[in-house]
Amino acid sequence: MSERDGAGDADGVDDWSLPEDLEAVQTALIEWYEGDHRDFPWRRTDDPYAILVSEVMSQQTQLDRVVEAWEEFLERWPTTADLAAADRADVVGFWTSHSLGYNNRAKYLHESAGQIEAEYDGTFPETPDELQELMGVGPYTANAVASFAFNNGDAVVDTNVKRVTYRAFSLPDDDSAFEAGANDLMPEGESRVWNNAIMELGGVACTQTPRCDEVGCPWREWCDAYASGDFTAPDVPTQPSFEGSRRQFRGRVIGTLREYDELELDTLGHRIRVDYAPEGEYGREWLTGLLSDLESDGLVDLERSDADDELVARLQR
């Protein structure tokens, strides 16, 4: 390992440090990435729409599973104009059928496409701050799109980047330290290749069980964890199980209403779970709460029928 230079203090966080030979660290990672990396299709484009779709899909789904859904989505709606003109229920239905996580992300993606067409004349904004004006686009996604589409972003800080920088350079387990450290590591004007490279490092080499020698990690000579053998990593929240979750049943509601258009409460309940009992634990009260959440997200309408005053659920269109 080389001697370290202090890198400053991040909002009260104890000083952390980066290698003295930072340029060598940067070059090693970029050359490693460019020599060989996983060939995801969104890495072969700088189309901001295609990249936005990949980022939203990847938020709760393994990347290998995203590929097929991403390709099918773009084949069906190849531009923001196509997506903006689509029936939102069809977009949400696609999301549900591909098990891509919370359906409101499909809704926001649809609405952001409408914004691009109506407010930006079909042209994407190019900076992280501007991209955050789009519906449902937060700081991480905005920065990723700015980086990968326009080479105009800051360092991306995801779980992989936190794990890599924590192990390699002993950054404190603190969000402000990770953000500051990641930006100090990144070579100026290289956000596209750098962010891809450091996330790849965390995805294939500096995994929960590290594979340093097996994949030839380019940072072994500078890495604190490699030198000490202590591969402790920051705590990462565990993704709740999908099976039996509210997220699973939200998806079932959307899928069922796409098929039947509208259904009375008890009919819907029996179609989405075998143990539905109107007065039971998973009965009308449970289902009404689920539908109310979907109504708040702008995905479902819930109202009483004129004929028999029964609650009826239907997709918003």
Side-chain angles (χ1 to χ4, degrees):
M1 285 198 309
S2 63
E3 293 182 4
R4 302 297 181 88
D5 286 334
D9 187 90
D11 296 331
V13 178
D14 292 339
D15 284 354
W16 41 264
S17 57
L18 296 174
E20 186 177 61
D21 44 353
L22 180 57
E23 186 175 347
V25 170
Q26 295 167 335
T27 300
L29 179 59
I30 291 173
E31 288 181 351
W32 174 83
Y33 174 77
E34 291 181 335
D36 185 30
H37 59 262
R38 292 172 296 178
D39 187 28
F40 296 119
W42 47 85
R43 287 180 169 173
R44 303 194 298 266
T45 182
D46 60 4
D47 175 6
Y49 170 59
I51 290 169
L52 176 62
V53 173
S54 76
E55 288 295 327
V56 175
M57 285 186 174
S58 300
Q59 290 176 14
Q60 283 188 307
T61 309
Q62 292 290 328
L63 293 183
D64 289 338
R65 289 182 49 225
V66 170
V67 173
E68 181 180 354
W70 181 82
E71 291 175 339
E72 289 182 15
F73 190 96
L74 292 179
E75 181 177 354
R76 186 167 181 180
W77 300 293
T79 67
T80 52
D82 295 313
L83 183 59
D87 187 321
R88 184 171 65 187
D90 290 339
V91 181
V92 173
F94 178 97
W95 213 259
T96 299
S97 67
H98 287 76
S99 301
L100 289 168
Y102 293 110
N103 294 320
N104 58 359
R105 290 183 177 142
K107 169 196 164 187
Y108 292 147
L109 192 56
H110 181 251
E111 291 185 8
S112 68
Q115 282 182 271
I116 293 292
E117 292 303 307
E119 300 175 21
Y120 295 91
D121 197 26
T123 301
F124 263 76
E126 298 185 8
T127 70
D129 286 345
E130 292 173 320
L131 284 159
Q132 284 188 67
E133 297 299 318
L134 299 179
M135 181 64 69
V137 175
Y140 176 87
T141 301
N143 191 43
V145 174
S147 292
F148 303 137
F150 303 110
N151 196 30
N152 190 33
D154 298 320
V156 168
V157 182
D158 69 352
T159 299
N160 285 329
V161 174
K162 289 180 178 181
R163 185 168 58 250
V164 168
T165 55
Y166 181 91
R167 285 175 172 169
F169 306 118
S170 301
L171 265 68
D173 187 0
D174 177 273
D175 287 344
S176 59
F178 285 127
E179 183 176 349
N183 276 296
D184 274 4
L185 274 168
M186 185 178 74
E188 186 175 357
E190 298 285 352
S191 63
R192 177 184 287 129
V193 66
W194 181 262
N195 285 325
N196 271 318
I198 196 169
M199 288 194 295
E200 183 78 353
L201 187 66
V204 304
C206 198
T207 49
Q208 289 290 348
T209 301
R211 304 168 65 218
C212 319
D213 296 323
E214 181 182 350
V215 300
C217 173
W219 280 358
R220 283 171 290 179
E221 69 176 277
W222 299 283
C223 178
D224 290 343
Y226 190 76
S228 68
D230 180 4
F231 288 94
T232 304
D235 291 334
V236 178
T238 302
Q239 176 68 35
S241 171
F242 179 71
E243 189 65 31
S245 66
R246 287 179 68 83
R247 181 160 57 97
Q248 181 185 39
F249 287 105
R250 283 166 59 101
R252 287 186 182 178
V253 167
I254 296 297
T256 303
L257 292 179
R258 284 189 74 231
E259 183 178 357
Y260 292 96
D261 192 38
E262 65 176 46
L263 288 171
E264 290 189 350
L265 192 69
D266 289 342
T267 303
L268 174 62
H270 286 296
R271 290 191 182 277
I272 66 169
R273 62 183 307 158
V274 295
D275 58 347
Y276 179 84
E279 305 304 326
E281 179 181 1
Y282 299 111
R284 290 173 186 157
E285 183 176 352
W286 171 84
L287 182 55
T288 301
L290 198 68
L291 291 168
S292 295
D293 288 346
L294 290 166
E295 188 173 38
S296 297
D297 288 339
L299 298 172
V300 166
D301 285 324
L302 185 61
E303 57 188 45
R304 294 196 176 275
S305 65
D306 294 333
D308 51 16
D309 200 36
E310 289 290 332
L311 279 174
V312 173
R314 63 175 62 87
L315 287 184
Q316 287 193 20
R317 295 185 182 273

